[in-house]
Amino acid sequence: MKRIAVLLLLVCLAAGSAFAGGQGESASDAGKGSEVIKMVMATSQPPEGGFMGEMPFKFKEYLKEESNGRIELTVHHSGALSSNERELLEMAQAGSVDFSMGATTYVLGWAPSFKIFDLPYLFDSVDHFDRVVFGEVGDVLEAECADDGVILLGQIIPGFRSIFTAKKEIRSYSDLEGLKIRSMESPVYIEMFKRLGMLPTPMPSSELYTALQTGVVDAGENDPASVVSWGWIDVIKYYMLDKHTLSSNVLVMNKAKFDSFDPEIQNAILKAAERAVRYQFEYIQGAWEDSMKKIRDKGITVVELNETELDKFRNSVAPIVDKYEKEIGKNLVQMVKDAR
């Protein structure tokens, strides 16, 4: 918490009155009249490429268009304010930045229902994900975020996550036994890897490159675009496409700041966010193919698993869904299943 407090102080000193809705403008005046509204966004992702493409800067462009030039967004990318996504999301919740993005795993403290995106083999396609986040389930998640001071503006799809290793050859389920794997700080992920016979080690994505180099962990897991953008492509040898989860990131805004604006500005923010999310959705589908080509061109062995082998993964982790259904709510899990 001390580190977060220091980060918040640095952000406030750097941005000055920008977080209050513009120079010389109080929070109660935000969004009223014709003043320029200065806002700040923080992300750990690079300015282009990866699973987001140019989404943060598209969002900046769309905010300006939808507000008729009134909203000016400053984007702090590449972990400039923090490479820890939990910290970035907490900064938006606290109001020291206006917008931030991060994996759904890091909002479970506010909204435990987001565990549906951690559950293994619950999603079977990109279209399935789309129907879920833009349907009834998405409405439930928005309400849960709002209760904790955050507006859920949209969800971003990085892609199906699969396991990779720095040295150890992996070609089947049995090859995972005893491997130390970097895990997100999610109880679901930790239990999933244990059930696969692995030794999960929670740590931020920003620490994985060095951890693979030094042997602190043997393996990691993520979507193809992230494998490329985080640079892990330079230190891994095997990428086994088990596709255990279809991950989601959230684009969030501080609720108090949003509520301080008049309906015109609120509507501009919502429209700009919708356009930015749709841009990313279209971008990522081409980025997956491009990322897989870069991975193969790097000489990494890509292992495609047949249905018989995949069933070993599915059967091993199947009890996790039943266990967390009670915590998340059986109706919500069933809603996801029904959207297939």
Side-chain angles (χ1 to χ4, degrees):
M1 292 302 294
K2 288 183 179 179
R3 183 183 175 196
I4 294 173
V6 171
L7 283 167
L8 300 187
L9 177 61
L10 290 173
V11 172
C12 291
L13 290 173
S17 61
F19 299 122
Q23 295 180 349
E25 186 179 0
S26 68
S28 61
D29 292 329
K32 298 177 181 179
S34 58
E35 299 90 347
V36 172
I37 303 166
K38 295 185 177 182
M39 306 183 79
V40 172
M41 178 180 192
T43 174
S44 64
Q45 298 299 314
E48 59 184 4
F51 65 80
M52 290 202 311
E54 299 177 16
M55 181 192 161
F57 292 94
K58 290 290 184 181
F59 185 42
K60 175 179 181 174
E61 175 187 328
Y62 299 152
L63 281 170
K64 189 170 185 178
E65 289 178 2
E66 296 293 345
S67 67
N68 295 317
R70 290 184 59 194
I71 298 176
E72 288 186 3
L73 180 68
T74 297
V75 178
H76 295 283
H77 58 81
S78 306
L81 299 184
S82 175
S83 59
N84 187 316
E85 291 181 350
R86 181 186 298 280
E87 292 179 352
L88 293 176
L89 291 164
E90 289 175 349
M91 288 162 72
Q93 187 183 35
S96 55
V97 299
D98 300 303
F99 307 98
S100 68
M101 291 186 289
T104 54
T105 293
Y106 300 118
V107 300
L108 297 183
W110 322 335
S113 294
F114 276 96
K115 281 193 178 78
I116 59 171
F117 297 103
D118 289 356
L119 294 177
Y121 300 105
L122 189 59
F123 290 84
D124 60 10
S125 70
V126 176
D127 289 337
H128 183 199
F129 174 91
D130 196 45
R131 287 192 294 272
V132 168
V133 299
F134 289 102
E136 291 180 279
V137 176
D139 295 338
V140 171
L141 298 175
E142 284 181 22
E144 206 165 329
C145 283
D147 288 342
D148 287 278
V150 171
I151 297 292
L152 176 61
L153 293 175
Q155 288 183 243
I156 302 156
I157 180 171
F160 281 101
R161 300 173 75 101
S162 293
I163 297 169
F164 50 81
T165 55
K167 297 177 182 178
K168 172 73 184 294
E169 181 176 354
I170 50 171
R171 294 186 180 275
S172 66
Y173 173 85
S174 60
D175 292 331
L176 302 181
E177 184 70 31
L179 290 182
K180 294 177 292 184
I181 184 169
R182 174 264 170 181
S183 171
M184 289 194 289
E185 298 173 27
S186 160
V188 180
Y189 269 74
I190 290 170
E191 182 173 352
M192 174 173 62
F193 293 132
K194 285 181 178 178
R195 285 183 173 274
L196 293 175
M198 308 182 81
L199 304 173
T201 303
M203 69 174 66
S205 296
S206 56
E207 297 178 13
L208 179 54
Y209 188 101
T210 302
L212 287 168
Q213 274 188 320
T214 58
V216 171
V217 296
D218 307 302
E221 53 80 46
N222 223 305
D223 62 273
S226 293
V227 170
V228 174
S229 66
W230 281 101
W232 304 322
I233 192 174
D234 295 325
V235 292
I236 66 174
K237 300 297 182 184
Y238 293 88
Y239 191 31
M240 186 168 66
L241 304 182
D242 61 293
K243 299 180 180 180
H244 46 267
T245 55
L246 182 61
S247 62
S248 173
N249 275 228
V250 290
L251 169 61
V252 298
M253 180 181 182
N254 177 264
K255 186 176 185 299
K257 186 64 173 287
F258 182 85
D259 290 343
S260 73
F261 293 129
D262 61 40
E264 183 180 352
I265 292 299
Q266 289 180 346
N267 191 47
I269 292 169
L270 295 175
K271 284 185 175 180
E274 182 179 358
R275 290 175 66 186
V277 167
R278 283 302 181 187
Y279 157 82
Q280 189 275 339
F281 188 78
E282 293 175 7
Y283 160 83
I284 190 59
Q285 297 183 68
W288 288 330
E289 184 177 343
D290 179 61
S291 296
M292 286 306 302
K293 183 178 185 304
K294 288 178 180 177
I295 290 169
R296 287 189 168 94
D297 288 349
K298 196 74 174 179
I300 295 166
T301 299
V302 175
V303 180
E304 303 271 1
L305 298 173
N306 59 39
E307 285 300 311
T308 300
E309 197 65 32
L310 280 170
D311 279 342
K312 296 177 184 178
F313 284 82
R314 296 182 184 120
N315 294 336
S316 179
V317 300
I320 295 177
V321 177
D322 294 332
K323 175 181 177 179
Y324 284 96
E325 218 173 31
K326 300 171 185 176
E327 182 179 329
I328 298 170
K330 189 171 183 178
N331 289 342
L332 196 65
V333 173
Q334 190 59 48
M335 287 163 67
V336 174
K337 292 178 178 178
D338 291 343
R340 286 175 176 165

